[in-house]
Amino acid sequence: MVIKEITCKTAISKCGFPSGGWAINPYVGCAHGCLYCYARFMKIFTKHTEGWGEFVDIRVNMPEVLKKEIKREKYKNGNINIGTVTDPYQPLEEKYEITRKILEILSEYPYPLSILTKSDLVLRDIDLIKKFKNIDVNITLNTLDEDWKRVVEPNSPSIERRIYTIERLKQENIKVYVMMGPFWPFFSDAEELIKTFKVLGIEEIYTESFNTRGGTFSEIERLMSQHYPNLLPRMKEILFNKENFNNFYSLVKENLLELAKQYNIKINIYFGRGHAKFHSL
């Protein structure tokens, strides 16, 4: 792991999510090393030659920059999202506490805030999170298969730890959403996942199809050939044939909408090649 301390000129940028708003990313890169991560494109803007998951830059001066920047009038409009192209609670946060310092600054403002993470380290900051009137934590959980998780998210917290994180946040009456994405062929069991979310008290979930752009499948293909050689051909047929892709995710969408009604959970679906389509119930 190559770790560098760097400085930044700005702390806030426009958010590329469909909902818009603003983004704050305390780190460049992510030690979780998720093979499917769309944020791999961030490597283009760095001088790193290491693979995704093998480098992290810490924006050590971000709290100081944010303290001045957040005073601008324009940030009153739109949700602020922490962790759109990195995990703000990846392991280095335990040492550097950049995210915690960011929360301390933002707690003085009434702006709506979302935290996106896979990590139980977010529990460290419950005291700060509870100071916000309009905040939510988004936990990514797209499979209950720990073996598959270890293949595609090699350094991320376990499924068990994420479930515990959701339980603790809910106990503290903190709003929690779940990102059930990407929704995997073979490894994402729609009913088992939604049943789990219902038991945890989740009221709203998001899901998306696998994004085939940007070469994110190459490393997945290599590891599937080692660990799941019998499933690899069909996985490629589903993801890289347009008709198969559309048929698969159309059936999944129908199933998810039915399950959402059955379990009384709101679901936001972003299925489409490149996530172009959206459906909400």
Side-chain angles (χ1 to χ4, degrees):
M1 179 68 64
V2 175
I3 300 167
K4 293 182 180 179
E5 295 183 359
I6 64 170
T7 58
C8 60
K9 293 181 180 179
T10 61
I12 309 175
S13 59
K14 286 187 177 180
C15 182
F17 290 172
S19 57
W22 306 100
I24 297 177
N25 290 286
Y27 303 95
V28 179
C30 184
H32 288 161
C34 301
L35 304 187
Y36 57 83
C37 186
Y38 63 84
R40 286 169 174 263
F41 76 87
M42 288 296 295
K43 191 176 172 184
I44 299 171
F45 305 107
T46 73
K47 295 181 180 180
H48 287 282
T49 57
E50 301 82 18
W52 182 255
E54 296 175 357
F55 70 90
V56 179
D57 294 342
I58 301 102
R59 289 170 162 157
V60 290
N61 70 327
M62 182 170 275
E64 290 76 18
V65 174
L66 176 64
K67 198 163 188 176
K68 298 176 182 177
E69 200 172 10
I70 194 63
K71 295 176 182 179
R72 296 175 187 171
E73 191 74 16
K74 64 180 180 179
Y75 298 124
K76 290 183 178 180
N77 300 312
N79 202 67
I80 296 176
N81 304 278
I82 301 180
T84 60
V85 290
T86 190
D87 195 316
Y89 285 103
Q90 60 182 289
L92 285 166
E93 169 62 18
E94 189 166 9
K95 173 183 176 181
Y96 283 92
E97 297 191 348
I98 307 295
T99 300
R100 182 170 178 86
K101 293 170 186 174
I102 287 169
L103 289 176
E104 287 172 344
I105 294 165
L106 293 177
S107 67
E108 299 177 8
Y109 295 84
Y111 310 148
L113 186 69
S114 295
I115 299 171
L116 295 78
T117 185
K118 291 181 171 77
S119 177
D120 53 333
L121 183 56
V122 69
L123 297 177
R124 180 201 64 190
D125 293 341
I126 281 179
D127 61 324
L128 276 174
I129 293 171
K130 292 182 73 172
K131 290 183 178 182
F132 290 81
K133 291 182 179 179
N134 191 352
I135 191 169
D136 56 74
V137 179
N138 292 257
I139 304 291
T140 298
L141 184 56
N142 53 36
T143 185
L144 297 177
D145 186 330
E146 192 67 60
D147 291 334
W148 175 248
K149 198 252 16 137
R150 279 192 289 267
V151 169
V152 293
E153 299 180 12
N155 303 316
S156 68
S158 68
I159 293 166
E160 182 180 6
R161 284 165 65 188
R162 288 184 227 181
I163 288 174
Y164 173 73
T165 299
I166 295 170
E167 289 175 333
R168 285 283 294 112
L169 291 169
K170 293 293 291 183
Q171 287 169 6
E172 296 291 341
N173 295 315
I174 295 167
K175 187 185 295 183
V176 183
Y177 298 139
V178 172
M179 166 51 82
M180 187 176 59
F183 190 97
W184 295 104
F186 312 119
F187 302 107
S188 296
D189 187 316
E191 184 157 18
E192 287 303 309
L193 282 162
I194 290 182
K195 280 168 64 176
T196 299
F197 302 152
K198 184 65 177 181
V199 170
L200 292 169
I202 297 297
E203 298 177 355
E204 186 170 359
I205 61 177
Y206 293 79
T207 188
E208 62 185 5
S209 49
F210 179 80
N211 191 343
T212 56
R213 298 175 182 174
T216 54
F217 191 74
S218 58
E219 191 66 9
I220 293 171
E221 180 176 16
R222 183 182 71 82
L223 289 169
M224 282 193 72
S225 67
Q226 297 176 21
H227 301 282
Y228 300 93
N230 57 320
L231 294 179
L232 178 57
R234 182 58 183 150
M235 178 75 88
K236 292 172 68 175
E237 287 174 5
I238 292 171
L239 296 181
F240 293 95
N241 178 288
K242 185 175 181 179
E243 183 179 356
N244 292 343
F245 182 100
N246 290 337
N247 287 340
F248 172 79
Y249 281 107
S250 291
L251 289 172
V252 171
K253 184 180 81 171
E254 290 177 14
N255 188 30
L256 286 173
L257 292 174
E258 192 174 309
L259 289 166
K261 286 182 179 178
Q262 180 181 342
Y263 289 95
N264 192 28
I265 293 179
K266 182 177 180 181
I267 186 165
N268 305 282
I269 300 175
Y270 293 85
F271 283 172
R273 297 173 71 82
H275 314 315
K277 301 176 182 178
F278 172 70
H279 191 101
S280 179
L281 177 68

